[in-house]
Amino acid sequence: MGSALPLGEPVPTDGSLPPTTRVDPGADFGVYLHVPFCRVRCGYCDFNTYTSSELRGARQDDYADTLLREVGLAAAVLERAGGNRVASTVFFGGGTPTLLPPGDLARMLGGVRDTFGIAAGAEVTVEANPDTVTPAVAAELAASGVTRLSVGMQSAVPHVLAALDRTHDPDNVRTAVSAARSAGLDVSVDLIYGAPGESLDDWRASLETAVLLEPDHISAYALIIEDGTKLARQIRRGEVPAPDDDLQADMYELADELLGAAGFDWYEVSNWARSDAHRSRHNLAYWVGSDWWGFGPGAHSHIAGVRFWNVKHPAAYAQRLASGESPAAGREMPDAGARALESVLLRTRIREGLPVDQLLGEGRHAVAALIADGLIDGPTALRGRVVLTRRGRLLADAVVRALTE
């Protein structure tokens, strides 16, 4: 059910932003729609998701209607703060969005379109479990305005999927990709590396299988052990080994080599795309600090410098909206120092990097040492931008520390 929400100041019951907040109706605006339902809980997962036994009063069959109440509330909040926004990207995440009938997802997307508008050429993504995607589902999603399917492949190796508690049939990944292609959708596949018992050869097999699917985009994330998860408890009890940092580094380098050779360019530490047009525009908006509204239980939002987050449990979320109240649990307004730190943390992860002149004094002094250590690209730094080398991507956290101390 995810980690605890951050602390913050209370939010008015009508969800109003602070009185001094003014939104720019012409600025980019992303919409995130959280679907918090899963058939089973994966042992590594720390997301705000719920199986049927954990819903305690919430219902999947009326979830679309509940979320659309928040869409209406958001429109009123934005109107009071200076004007509504046209969505430039929409992202259905989870959980498993495709556990809901495609008609429910279409209705949610239609509510966003009717309330805010969706820009011409907008990217509209749905995350999907491979077992839930049929040609009929893909066609219905495409007809509703979805443009992109992100398939949770994770691995092509059965014992690795078992270690992650993934229950999908690996053969269904190809079926899902084929269905999405037939419906005219762009396709991304998600991979995870570093699972207990996964070898470098296992990882190579997963990468090669993913490349053979000919997707437009591949995400490859290192397994992170989150407190409170089943996997963390297994490691603590000595039942499975903890991830090996050196092996994960080798796996990252192998991914970059194989994906690069197959025609994918990295554009963010864990993401590769066939072309600039196939980058995840929604996720890039997070990394460059654009505005977005996250709808659904536990979802986070960022509007004109204000960050806020919703109550976590679907039942509490539904109860607040049924009472005409905002589901927001708290908010914060980071100061200039916090925003500078966040900018370094996020923008150093992307290919375009971070302007050197945005670093504070000590951070600028660290640039020469990072060049000497082979962590950032020297010629690019001389042209005024901090861009990570492959080794720098492996040690991104260390680079951020050096640039912000």
Side-chain angles (χ1 to χ4, degrees):
M1 284 177 276
S3 56
L5 290 171
L7 298 176
E9 68 175 43
V11 178
T13 57
D14 66 356
S16 292
L17 296 168
T20 57
T21 303
R22 305 306 296 169
V23 300
D24 177 0
D28 284 347
F29 177 56
V31 170
Y32 174 75
L33 303 169
H34 187 61
V35 180
F37 310 119
C38 285
R39 285 180 178 155
V40 298
R41 178 172 301 285
C42 298
Y44 63 90
C45 181
D46 189 42
F47 296 157
N48 190 48
T49 62
Y50 300 82
T51 61
S52 58
S53 64
E54 297 168 332
L55 289 177
R56 300 195 308 274
R59 292 169 43 187
Q60 288 186 203
D61 59 359
D62 61 6
Y63 183 72
D65 290 333
T66 299
L67 184 138
L68 288 173
R69 292 191 186 100
E70 188 187 358
V71 171
L73 180 145
V77 169
L78 292 174
E79 195 63 44
R80 289 194 296 270
N84 264 320
R85 320 282 289 277
V86 174
S88 49
T89 63
V90 181
F91 195 103
F92 288 85
T96 309
T98 47
L99 276 184
L100 293 181
D104 282 7
L105 300 180
R107 194 147 49 86
M108 292 156 68
L109 182 58
V112 171
R113 182 182 295 110
D114 293 343
T115 303
F116 301 114
I118 296 178
E123 174 194 270
V124 182
T125 302
V126 173
E127 289 186 334
N129 180 303
D131 289 346
T132 62
V133 181
T134 65
V137 167
E140 190 167 350
L141 292 175
S144 73
V146 173
T147 65
R148 184 174 180 270
L149 198 72
S150 180
V151 181
M153 176 179 171
Q154 315 313 347
S155 175
V157 180
H159 79 84
V160 176
L161 290 172
L164 294 170
D165 287 331
R166 297 291 294 188
T167 60
H168 70 260
D169 182 343
D171 292 338
N172 283 343
V173 175
R174 181 173 296 280
T175 301
V177 171
S178 177
R181 287 295 193 207
S182 295
L185 300 176
D186 285 353
V187 176
S188 175
V189 296
D190 287 355
L191 299 172
I192 293 178
Y193 59 90
E198 183 178 28
S199 68
L200 194 61
D201 285 341
D202 291 333
W203 177 232
R204 182 186 297 274
S206 292
L207 288 167
E208 291 175 345
T209 301
V211 167
L212 288 173
L213 294 171
E214 299 185 336
D216 306 293
H217 183 279
I218 294 177
S219 298
Y221 298 105
L223 178 65
I224 297 174
I225 307 304
E226 302 286 0
D227 289 341
T229 60
K230 174 185 173 183
L231 188 54
R233 293 190 293 272
Q234 290 175 315
I235 291 172
R236 189 168 58 248
R237 293 193 296 260
E239 297 170 2
V240 297
D244 182 316
D245 291 344
D246 290 336
L247 178 58
Q248 284 192 328
D250 291 341
M251 289 175 165
Y252 182 86
E253 291 187 331
L254 180 61
D256 201 41
E257 290 168 4
L258 287 183
L259 296 179
F264 292 87
D265 287 330
W266 84 270
Y267 70 95
E268 191 275 340
V269 168
S270 300
N271 290 274
W272 291 258
R274 288 278 187 193
S275 69
D276 287 355
H278 290 117
R279 294 179 174 192
S280 172
R281 284 151 46 195
H282 185 84
N283 287 337
L284 276 169
Y286 296 151
W287 296 320
V288 301
S290 296
D291 283 358
W292 77 91
W293 195 299
F295 296 93
H300 288 235
S301 304
H302 171 246
I303 301 293
V306 183
R307 301 193 181 281
F308 49 98
W309 45 91
N310 287 344
V311 293
K312 288 181 58 177
H313 198 277
Y317 173 77
Q319 287 164 5
R320 288 211 184 182
L321 287 164
S323 300
E325 296 183 5
S326 167
R331 71 185 181 196
E332 64 183 8
M333 286 153 282
D335 61 20
R339 289 192 171 280
L341 174 62
E342 185 177 81
S343 180
V344 174
L345 178 67
L346 295 176
R347 286 180 177 263
T348 52
R349 295 183 62 87
I350 61 177
R351 175 180 285 279
E352 288 72 21
L354 173 79
V356 173
D357 61 13
Q358 289 188 13
L359 296 171
L360 301 178
E362 292 304 315
R364 294 187 194 186
H365 297 157
V367 169
L370 292 169
I371 293 171
D373 289 340
L375 300 179
I376 65 174
D377 182 72
T380 307
L382 291 174
R383 293 194 297 271
R385 299 192 77 84
V386 173
V387 174
L388 299 178
T389 62
R390 181 193 290 170
R391 183 166 180 267
R393 286 181 261 152
L394 281 167
L395 299 172
D397 290 345
V399 173
V400 169
R401 285 196 298 272
L403 293 173
T404 55
E405 285 179 349

